[in-house]
Amino acid sequence: DGFFRIATTMGNSGAGDNRSENNLYILDETLHETGKIEGLAPGERIYSVRFAGKRGYVVTFRTVDPLFVLDLDPHEPRVLGALKIPGYSNYLHPVDENHIIGFGKNTTELPGGRTPADGAGTAIDLGMKMALFDVTDVAHPIELFKEEIGDRGTDSELLYNHKALLFSREKDLIAFPVTVREVRDANANGKAVPQYGELTFLGAFVYSFDLSQGFRLKGKITHLSDGDLLKSGYATYDRNKQIERILYIDNHLYTVSRVMIKANDLDTLKELNSLTLAK
């Protein structure tokens, strides 16, 4: 509607004279400021933002994840509500006007890291996290469902590039590439600092999804052979076989890496065919 909105972090995370603040500014077509919100979550920084119509969603993080719901009125923007939960979302994807999915990481706060100066400890990333937020009551957003994947070191291109996500409300479908690391030793994560996991899967996770039941894992697709996984080291693997994009045509699901295109049945995920692009 002729207004430009931008969310910013200024300063450094933590305490001190240059303590960070997070802000929203709204400008008109001449770049004259018409409204602003300043001072969100001092000491934290923005990890993700989504502007969706008249609402905005901002996730900040240092040791916990506040999801802020904002009214984007160009002349009187304001904070409508907030939800604080462990972890953070790198990417926010709207489902409809009252629901949004966050893709990010689980975290844990290390003990003994607090100081009177900053009032917060050190957070360590764990596995990947997918959460469905209900913002019907804007003053009290809630986390309806969540899905946790892997242990420390688990990652996905989706956390840095939204084009890696396949999302379809029509098909009740969510799919994305993921590198899963898991800690084999059941006692390892009892240590003060959580351990990095070893590689257990490289490929794509495919979920069915709806607002009443949340996320249900349909299956996994990989371009690695059994031998490839055995040959991969604790921290290394053939990155050319990492799935980068996922799409569907009719009832076929296609996954694409640098060396292969694979077709699977969209309902059963049974492999139908594959095409090798390079060795």
PDB file of all heavy atoms in Angstrom, residues 10 14 20 24 37 46 49 55 59-60 62 67-68 73-74 90 106 110 117 120 133 136 178 182 206 209 263 272 278:
ATOM      1  N   MET A  10      20.460  -3.385  15.705  1.00  0.00           N
ATOM      2  CA  MET A  10      21.552  -2.417  15.878  1.00  0.00           C
ATOM      3  C   MET A  10      22.309  -2.776  17.142  1.00  0.00           C
ATOM      4  O   MET A  10      21.721  -3.122  18.168  1.00  0.00           O
ATOM      5  CB  MET A  10      21.008  -0.990  15.979  1.00  0.00           C
ATOM      6  CG  MET A  10      20.275  -0.518  14.736  1.00  0.00           C
ATOM      7  SD  MET A  10      19.610   1.155  14.901  1.00  0.00           S
ATOM      8  CE  MET A  10      21.127   2.097  15.079  1.00  0.00           C
ATOM      9  N   GLY A  14      24.235  -9.160  23.646  1.00  0.00           N
ATOM     10  CA  GLY A  14      24.842  -9.208  24.968  1.00  0.00           C
ATOM     11  C   GLY A  14      24.730  -7.875  25.677  1.00  0.00           C
ATOM     12  O   GLY A  14      23.923  -7.013  25.348  1.00  0.00           O
ATOM     13  N   SER A  20      22.648  -4.608  21.874  1.00  0.00           N
ATOM     14  CA  SER A  20      21.783  -4.630  20.682  1.00  0.00           C
ATOM     15  C   SER A  20      20.334  -4.306  21.010  1.00  0.00           C
ATOM     16  O   SER A  20      19.846  -4.554  22.111  1.00  0.00           O
ATOM     17  CB  SER A  20      21.858  -6.006  20.010  1.00  0.00           C
ATOM     18  OG  SER A  20      21.350  -7.006  20.873  1.00  0.00           O
ATOM     19  N   LEU A  24      11.604  -1.940  14.169  1.00  0.00           N
ATOM     20  CA  LEU A  24      10.832  -1.946  12.928  1.00  0.00           C
ATOM     21  C   LEU A  24      10.606  -0.501  12.517  1.00  0.00           C
ATOM     22  O   LEU A  24      10.170   0.322  13.338  1.00  0.00           O
ATOM     23  CB  LEU A  24       9.476  -2.622  13.137  1.00  0.00           C
ATOM     24  CG  LEU A  24       8.495  -2.468  11.965  1.00  0.00           C
ATOM     25  CD1 LEU A  24       8.864  -3.402  10.831  1.00  0.00           C
ATOM     26  CD2 LEU A  24       7.055  -2.703  12.412  1.00  0.00           C
ATOM     27  N   ILE A  37       8.769   0.873  15.706  1.00  0.00           N
ATOM     28  CA  ILE A  37       8.841   0.174  16.986  1.00  0.00           C
ATOM     29  C   ILE A  37      10.324   0.003  17.276  1.00  0.00           C
ATOM     30  O   ILE A  37      11.053  -0.530  16.437  1.00  0.00           O
ATOM     31  CB  ILE A  37       8.160  -1.206  16.927  1.00  0.00           C
ATOM     32  CG1 ILE A  37       6.687  -1.082  16.551  1.00  0.00           C
ATOM     33  CG2 ILE A  37       8.311  -1.933  18.263  1.00  0.00           C
ATOM     34  CD1 ILE A  37       6.021  -2.429  16.290  1.00  0.00           C
ATOM     35  N   ILE A  46      17.964 -10.272  15.579  1.00  0.00           N
ATOM     36  CA  ILE A  46      16.927 -10.867  14.729  1.00  0.00           C
ATOM     37  C   ILE A  46      17.481 -12.077  13.983  1.00  0.00           C
ATOM     38  O   ILE A  46      18.556 -12.014  13.390  1.00  0.00           O
ATOM     39  CB  ILE A  46      16.388  -9.826  13.732  1.00  0.00           C
ATOM     40  CG1 ILE A  46      15.586  -8.751  14.472  1.00  0.00           C
ATOM     41  CG2 ILE A  46      15.518 -10.493  12.667  1.00  0.00           C
ATOM     42  CD1 ILE A  46      15.142  -7.603  13.582  1.00  0.00           C
ATOM     43  N   VAL A  49      12.355 -12.798   9.957  1.00  0.00           N
ATOM     44  CA  VAL A  49      11.239 -11.844   9.886  1.00  0.00           C
ATOM     45  C   VAL A  49      10.299 -12.311   8.786  1.00  0.00           C
ATOM     46  O   VAL A  49      10.743 -12.827   7.751  1.00  0.00           O
ATOM     47  CB  VAL A  49      11.737 -10.416   9.552  1.00  0.00           C
ATOM     48  CG1 VAL A  49      10.557  -9.459   9.399  1.00  0.00           C
ATOM     49  CG2 VAL A  49      12.694  -9.905  10.611  1.00  0.00           C
ATOM     50  N   ARG A  55       0.137  -7.983   9.294  1.00  0.00           N
ATOM     51  CA  ARG A  55       0.893  -8.484  10.445  1.00  0.00           C
ATOM     52  C   ARG A  55       2.354  -8.702  10.088  1.00  0.00           C
ATOM     53  O   ARG A  55       2.699  -8.996   8.943  1.00  0.00           O
ATOM     54  CB  ARG A  55       0.325  -9.808  10.944  1.00  0.00           C
ATOM     55  CG  ARG A  55      -0.979  -9.693  11.700  1.00  0.00           C
ATOM     56  CD  ARG A  55      -1.337 -11.046  12.282  1.00  0.00           C
ATOM     57  NE  ARG A  55      -2.716 -11.104  12.715  1.00  0.00           N
ATOM     58  CZ  ARG A  55      -3.346 -12.245  13.017  1.00  0.00           C
ATOM     59  NH1 ARG A  55      -2.709 -13.388  12.915  1.00  0.00           N
ATOM     60  NH2 ARG A  55      -4.600 -12.203  13.422  1.00  0.00           N
ATOM     61  N   VAL A  59      11.444 -12.991  14.898  1.00  0.00           N
ATOM     62  CA  VAL A  59      12.075 -13.896  15.861  1.00  0.00           C
ATOM     63  C   VAL A  59      13.439 -13.329  16.228  1.00  0.00           C
ATOM     64  O   VAL A  59      14.276 -13.082  15.357  1.00  0.00           O
ATOM     65  CB  VAL A  59      12.245 -15.310  15.272  1.00  0.00           C
ATOM     66  CG1 VAL A  59      13.136 -16.168  16.174  1.00  0.00           C
ATOM     67  CG2 VAL A  59      10.884 -15.969  15.091  1.00  0.00           C
ATOM     68  N   THR A  60      13.648 -13.106  17.522  1.00  0.00           N
ATOM     69  CA  THR A  60      14.964 -12.712  18.025  1.00  0.00           C
ATOM     70  C   THR A  60      15.503 -13.853  18.874  1.00  0.00           C
ATOM     71  O   THR A  60      14.765 -14.745  19.297  1.00  0.00           O
ATOM     72  CB  THR A  60      14.884 -11.432  18.872  1.00  0.00           C
ATOM     73  OG1 THR A  60      14.058 -11.669  20.009  1.00  0.00           O
ATOM     74  CG2 THR A  60      14.321 -10.280  18.053  1.00  0.00           C
ATOM     75  N   ARG A  62      18.903 -15.045  21.735  1.00  0.00           N
ATOM     76  CA  ARG A  62      20.213 -15.147  22.360  1.00  0.00           C
ATOM     77  C   ARG A  62      20.287 -16.435  23.156  1.00  0.00           C
ATOM     78  O   ARG A  62      21.168 -17.244  22.953  1.00  0.00           O
ATOM     79  CB  ARG A  62      20.518 -13.953  23.262  1.00  0.00           C
ATOM     80  CG  ARG A  62      21.985 -14.020  23.726  1.00  0.00           C
ATOM     81  CD  ARG A  62      22.479 -12.779  24.406  1.00  0.00           C
ATOM     82  NE  ARG A  62      23.875 -12.973  24.759  1.00  0.00           N
ATOM     83  CZ  ARG A  62      24.378 -12.647  25.937  1.00  0.00           C
ATOM     84  NH1 ARG A  62      23.592 -12.126  26.862  1.00  0.00           N
ATOM     85  NH2 ARG A  62      25.650 -12.849  26.189  1.00  0.00           N
ATOM     86  N   LEU A  67       9.047 -15.050  19.745  1.00  0.00           N
ATOM     87  CA  LEU A  67       8.336 -14.781  18.498  1.00  0.00           C
ATOM     88  C   LEU A  67       7.411 -13.609  18.760  1.00  0.00           C
ATOM     89  O   LEU A  67       6.479 -13.714  19.560  1.00  0.00           O
ATOM     90  CB  LEU A  67       7.531 -16.001  18.064  1.00  0.00           C
ATOM     91  CG  LEU A  67       6.532 -15.773  16.927  1.00  0.00           C
ATOM     92  CD1 LEU A  67       7.261 -15.524  15.614  1.00  0.00           C
ATOM     93  CD2 LEU A  67       5.564 -16.949  16.798  1.00  0.00           C
ATOM     94  N   PHE A  68       7.691 -12.476  18.132  1.00  0.00           N
ATOM     95  CA  PHE A  68       6.864 -11.284  18.302  1.00  0.00           C
ATOM     96  C   PHE A  68       5.848 -11.204  17.178  1.00  0.00           C
ATOM     97  O   PHE A  68       6.181 -11.420  16.006  1.00  0.00           O
ATOM     98  CB  PHE A  68       7.729 -10.012  18.279  1.00  0.00           C
ATOM     99  CG  PHE A  68       8.639  -9.866  19.470  1.00  0.00           C
ATOM    100  CD1 PHE A  68       9.981 -10.214  19.373  1.00  0.00           C
ATOM    101  CD2 PHE A  68       8.163  -9.383  20.674  1.00  0.00           C
ATOM    102  CE1 PHE A  68      10.829 -10.084  20.459  1.00  0.00           C
ATOM    103  CE2 PHE A  68       9.001  -9.242  21.767  1.00  0.00           C
ATOM    104  CZ  PHE A  68      10.341  -9.597  21.662  1.00  0.00           C
ATOM    105  N   ASP A  73       0.452  -1.437  11.052  1.00  0.00           N
ATOM    106  CA  ASP A  73      -0.184  -0.155  10.718  1.00  0.00           C
ATOM    107  C   ASP A  73       0.915   0.866  10.422  1.00  0.00           C
ATOM    108  O   ASP A  73       1.816   1.070  11.235  1.00  0.00           O
ATOM    109  CB  ASP A  73      -1.036   0.330  11.893  1.00  0.00           C
ATOM    110  CG  ASP A  73      -1.769   1.616  11.582  1.00  0.00           C
ATOM    111  OD1 ASP A  73      -1.100   2.671  11.448  1.00  0.00           O
ATOM    112  OD2 ASP A  73      -3.003   1.585  11.483  1.00  0.00           O
ATOM    113  N   PRO A  74       0.887   1.522   9.240  1.00  0.00           N
ATOM    114  CA  PRO A  74       2.009   2.391   8.858  1.00  0.00           C
ATOM    115  C   PRO A  74       2.208   3.593   9.768  1.00  0.00           C
ATOM    116  O   PRO A  74       3.298   4.169   9.799  1.00  0.00           O
ATOM    117  CB  PRO A  74       1.642   2.827   7.434  1.00  0.00           C
ATOM    118  CG  PRO A  74       0.171   2.613   7.313  1.00  0.00           C
ATOM    119  CD  PRO A  74      -0.140   1.441   8.187  1.00  0.00           C
ATOM    120  N   ASN A  90      14.991 -19.794  11.905  1.00  0.00           N
ATOM    121  CA  ASN A  90      15.714 -19.066  10.858  1.00  0.00           C
ATOM    122  C   ASN A  90      14.785 -18.615   9.735  1.00  0.00           C
ATOM    123  O   ASN A  90      15.082 -17.662   9.025  1.00  0.00           O
ATOM    124  CB  ASN A  90      16.786 -19.949  10.218  1.00  0.00           C
ATOM    125  CG  ASN A  90      17.900 -20.314  11.165  1.00  0.00           C
ATOM    126  OD1 ASN A  90      17.789 -21.289  11.899  1.00  0.00           O
ATOM    127  ND2 ASN A  90      18.963 -19.545  11.159  1.00  0.00           N
ATOM    128  N   ASN A 106      16.796 -26.346  17.647  1.00  0.00           N
ATOM    129  CA  ASN A 106      16.682 -26.480  19.092  1.00  0.00           C
ATOM    130  C   ASN A 106      17.939 -25.917  19.723  1.00  0.00           C
ATOM    131  O   ASN A 106      19.014 -25.923  19.094  1.00  0.00           O
ATOM    132  CB  ASN A 106      16.568 -27.954  19.491  1.00  0.00           C
ATOM    133  CG  ASN A 106      15.146 -28.438  19.521  1.00  0.00           C
ATOM    134  OD1 ASN A 106      14.252 -27.712  19.927  1.00  0.00           O
ATOM    135  ND2 ASN A 106      14.935 -29.666  19.092  1.00  0.00           N
ATOM    136  N   LEU A 110      23.888 -23.509  28.402  1.00  0.00           N
ATOM    137  CA  LEU A 110      24.921 -24.126  29.224  1.00  0.00           C
ATOM    138  C   LEU A 110      24.815 -23.627  30.659  1.00  0.00           C
ATOM    139  O   LEU A 110      24.588 -22.437  30.901  1.00  0.00           O
ATOM    140  CB  LEU A 110      26.311 -23.801  28.669  1.00  0.00           C
ATOM    141  CG  LEU A 110      26.620 -24.341  27.270  1.00  0.00           C
ATOM    142  CD1 LEU A 110      28.058 -24.030  26.899  1.00  0.00           C
ATOM    143  CD2 LEU A 110      26.371 -25.841  27.194  1.00  0.00           C
ATOM    144  N   ALA A 117      26.136  -9.022  34.806  1.00  0.00           N
ATOM    145  CA  ALA A 117      26.181  -7.974  33.790  1.00  0.00           C
ATOM    146  C   ALA A 117      25.210  -8.224  32.651  1.00  0.00           C
ATOM    147  O   ALA A 117      24.523  -7.322  32.185  1.00  0.00           O
ATOM    148  CB  ALA A 117      27.606  -7.838  33.242  1.00  0.00           C
ATOM    149  N   ALA A 120      22.353 -13.531  31.152  1.00  0.00           N
ATOM    150  CA  ALA A 120      22.032 -14.644  30.262  1.00  0.00           C
ATOM    151  C   ALA A 120      23.249 -15.502  30.049  1.00  0.00           C
ATOM    152  O   ALA A 120      24.388 -15.027  30.092  1.00  0.00           O
ATOM    153  CB  ALA A 120      21.516 -14.119  28.915  1.00  0.00           C
ATOM    154  N   PHE A 133       2.955 -22.459  14.697  1.00  0.00           N
ATOM    155  CA  PHE A 133       2.467 -21.459  15.634  1.00  0.00           C
ATOM    156  C   PHE A 133       1.045 -21.044  15.256  1.00  0.00           C
ATOM    157  O   PHE A 133       0.744 -20.816  14.082  1.00  0.00           O
ATOM    158  CB  PHE A 133       3.364 -20.226  15.620  1.00  0.00           C
ATOM    159  CG  PHE A 133       4.788 -20.520  16.012  1.00  0.00           C
ATOM    160  CD1 PHE A 133       5.796 -20.507  15.055  1.00  0.00           C
ATOM    161  CD2 PHE A 133       5.124 -20.808  17.318  1.00  0.00           C
ATOM    162  CE1 PHE A 133       7.111 -20.779  15.395  1.00  0.00           C
ATOM    163  CE2 PHE A 133       6.432 -21.078  17.675  1.00  0.00           C
ATOM    164  CZ  PHE A 133       7.431 -21.072  16.716  1.00  0.00           C
ATOM    165  N   THR A 136      -3.979 -16.985  16.200  1.00  0.00           N
ATOM    166  CA  THR A 136      -5.371 -16.545  16.167  1.00  0.00           C
ATOM    167  C   THR A 136      -5.613 -15.496  17.241  1.00  0.00           C
ATOM    168  O   THR A 136      -6.226 -14.455  16.995  1.00  0.00           O
ATOM    169  CB  THR A 136      -6.312 -17.741  16.366  1.00  0.00           C
ATOM    170  OG1 THR A 136      -6.029 -18.741  15.379  1.00  0.00           O
ATOM    171  CG2 THR A 136      -7.765 -17.302  16.240  1.00  0.00           C
ATOM    172  N   VAL A 178      17.902 -32.246   4.261  1.00  0.00           N
ATOM    173  CA  VAL A 178      18.419 -32.223   5.627  1.00  0.00           C
ATOM    174  C   VAL A 178      19.624 -33.153   5.749  1.00  0.00           C
ATOM    175  O   VAL A 178      19.675 -34.206   5.111  1.00  0.00           O
ATOM    176  CB  VAL A 178      17.318 -32.612   6.645  1.00  0.00           C
ATOM    177  CG1 VAL A 178      16.824 -34.027   6.410  1.00  0.00           C
ATOM    178  CG2 VAL A 178      17.791 -32.437   8.075  1.00  0.00           C
ATOM    179  N   GLU A 182      23.417 -37.734  14.509  1.00  0.00           N
ATOM    180  CA  GLU A 182      22.864 -38.272  15.744  1.00  0.00           C
ATOM    181  C   GLU A 182      23.981 -38.776  16.645  1.00  0.00           C
ATOM    182  O   GLU A 182      24.989 -39.312  16.168  1.00  0.00           O
ATOM    183  CB  GLU A 182      21.889 -39.410  15.440  1.00  0.00           C
ATOM    184  CG  GLU A 182      20.659 -38.955  14.665  1.00  0.00           C
ATOM    185  CD  GLU A 182      19.739 -40.095  14.303  1.00  0.00           C
ATOM    186  OE1 GLU A 182      20.203 -41.016  13.598  1.00  0.00           O
ATOM    187  OE2 GLU A 182      18.576 -40.082  14.727  1.00  0.00           O
ATOM    188  N   VAL A 206      10.225 -35.947   4.039  1.00  0.00           N
ATOM    189  CA  VAL A 206       8.928 -35.636   3.439  1.00  0.00           C
ATOM    190  C   VAL A 206       7.846 -35.830   4.490  1.00  0.00           C
ATOM    191  O   VAL A 206       7.733 -36.913   5.088  1.00  0.00           O
ATOM    192  CB  VAL A 206       8.649 -36.535   2.218  1.00  0.00           C
ATOM    193  CG1 VAL A 206       7.325 -36.145   1.566  1.00  0.00           C
ATOM    194  CG2 VAL A 206       9.794 -36.453   1.208  1.00  0.00           C
ATOM    195  N   PHE A 209       1.011 -32.899   6.379  1.00  0.00           N
ATOM    196  CA  PHE A 209       0.802 -31.802   7.329  1.00  0.00           C
ATOM    197  C   PHE A 209      -0.631 -31.313   7.273  1.00  0.00           C
ATOM    198  O   PHE A 209      -1.216 -31.170   6.201  1.00  0.00           O
ATOM    199  CB  PHE A 209       1.754 -30.644   6.976  1.00  0.00           C
ATOM    200  CG  PHE A 209       1.354 -29.328   7.583  1.00  0.00           C
ATOM    201  CD1 PHE A 209       1.618 -29.061   8.913  1.00  0.00           C
ATOM    202  CD2 PHE A 209       0.696 -28.377   6.820  1.00  0.00           C
ATOM    203  CE1 PHE A 209       1.230 -27.862   9.476  1.00  0.00           C
ATOM    204  CE2 PHE A 209       0.309 -27.163   7.375  1.00  0.00           C
ATOM    205  CZ  PHE A 209       0.584 -26.912   8.710  1.00  0.00           C
ATOM    206  N   ALA A 263      12.905 -39.801  -9.102  1.00  0.00           N
ATOM    207  CA  ALA A 263      11.449 -39.686  -9.094  1.00  0.00           C
ATOM    208  C   ALA A 263      10.871 -40.727  -8.152  1.00  0.00           C
ATOM    209  O   ALA A 263      11.228 -41.911  -8.220  1.00  0.00           O
ATOM    210  CB  ALA A 263      10.888 -39.882 -10.500  1.00  0.00           C
ATOM    211  N   LEU A 272      10.594 -44.615  -8.323  1.00  0.00           N
ATOM    212  CA  LEU A 272      10.130 -44.998  -9.640  1.00  0.00           C
ATOM    213  C   LEU A 272      11.250 -45.050 -10.660  1.00  0.00           C
ATOM    214  O   LEU A 272      11.294 -45.943 -11.506  1.00  0.00           O
ATOM    215  CB  LEU A 272       9.056 -44.016 -10.108  1.00  0.00           C
ATOM    216  CG  LEU A 272       7.821 -43.889  -9.205  1.00  0.00           C
ATOM    217  CD1 LEU A 272       6.903 -42.775  -9.710  1.00  0.00           C
ATOM    218  CD2 LEU A 272       7.079 -45.210  -9.113  1.00  0.00           C
ATOM    219  N   ALA A 278      25.941 -36.893 -13.487  1.00  0.00           N
ATOM    220  CA  ALA A 278      27.405 -36.860 -13.553  1.00  0.00           C
ATOM    221  C   ALA A 278      27.943 -37.878 -12.575  1.00  0.00           C
ATOM    222  O   ALA A 278      27.256 -38.309 -11.662  1.00  0.00           O
ATOM    223  CB  ALA A 278      27.920 -35.461 -13.206  1.00  0.00           C
TER     224      ALA A 278
END
